[in-house]
Amino acid sequence: QVQLVESGGGLVQPGGSLRLSCVASGITLDYYSIGWFRQAPGKEREGVSCISSSDGTTYYADSVKGRFTISRDNAKNTVYLQMNNLKPADTAVYYCAADNGPIWGSMWTDEDEYEYWGQGTQVTVSI
């Protein structure tokens, strides 16, 4: 049974940092591209970042470039999303998702590319 479990969310003040983790079981992340998505109240889910299985190429939404960093630790079967300089607009439920195979270009924002999804972790940025 495949499971993706996100953790690391919480309440943080603007300008603060959080690191989200996505731990996989039932699959070996080496062969999967992992995306992070988020959904704010009343809004559609959107792609935040992705790391491809092929060569570790990373992708970011324009809104988080320079602030967020995605990385993976295959030995721990875990992907991380380091989020710095957080803004209230980053408030959302964050989900990780896994796609069996490499991802190129704008494919990473297509939710249909991903076979497995986690349950999400809440990130709230507020004073």
Side-chain angles (χ1 to χ4, degrees):
Q1 182 181 359
V2 177
Q3 272 194 317
L4 300 177
V5 179
E6 303 95 336
S7 64
L11 173 64
V12 65
Q13 292 186 349
S17 298
L18 286 173
R19 188 178 78 159
L20 305 184
S21 299
C22 173
V23 180
S25 59
I27 58 173
T28 302
L29 282 189
D30 303 41
Y31 307 112
Y32 283 77
S33 298
I34 303 299
W36 282 97
F37 290 77
R38 68 186 181 186
Q39 187 166 23
K43 295 188 177 181
E44 292 188 355
R45 191 156 55 185
E46 63 175 355
V48 175
S49 183
C50 174
I51 185 164
S52 179
S53 66
S54 59
D55 56 1
T57 299
T58 57
Y59 302 91
Y60 296 94
D62 287 343
S63 58
V64 307
K65 278 180 184 175
R67 301 188 297 122
F68 291 11
T69 303
I70 191 170
S71 62
R72 66 196 306 156
D73 185 337
N74 290 337
K76 296 183 178 180
N77 227 27
T78 301
V79 171
Y80 302 99
L81 185 68
Q82 177 67 43
M83 306 187 297
N84 298 329
N85 191 20
L86 283 160
K87 305 176 180 180
D90 296 317
T91 295
V93 178
Y94 284 71
Y95 302 89
C96 65
D99 172 35
N100 187 359
I103 277 185
W104 294 283
S106 61
M107 288 170 57
W108 74 273
T109 63
D110 185 354
E111 295 183 28
D112 292 336
E113 288 291 326
Y114 300 86
E115 291 88 12
Y116 305 108
W117 289 80
Q119 293 300 305
T121 184
Q122 176 70 46
V123 171
T124 302
V125 185
S126 179
I127 56 175

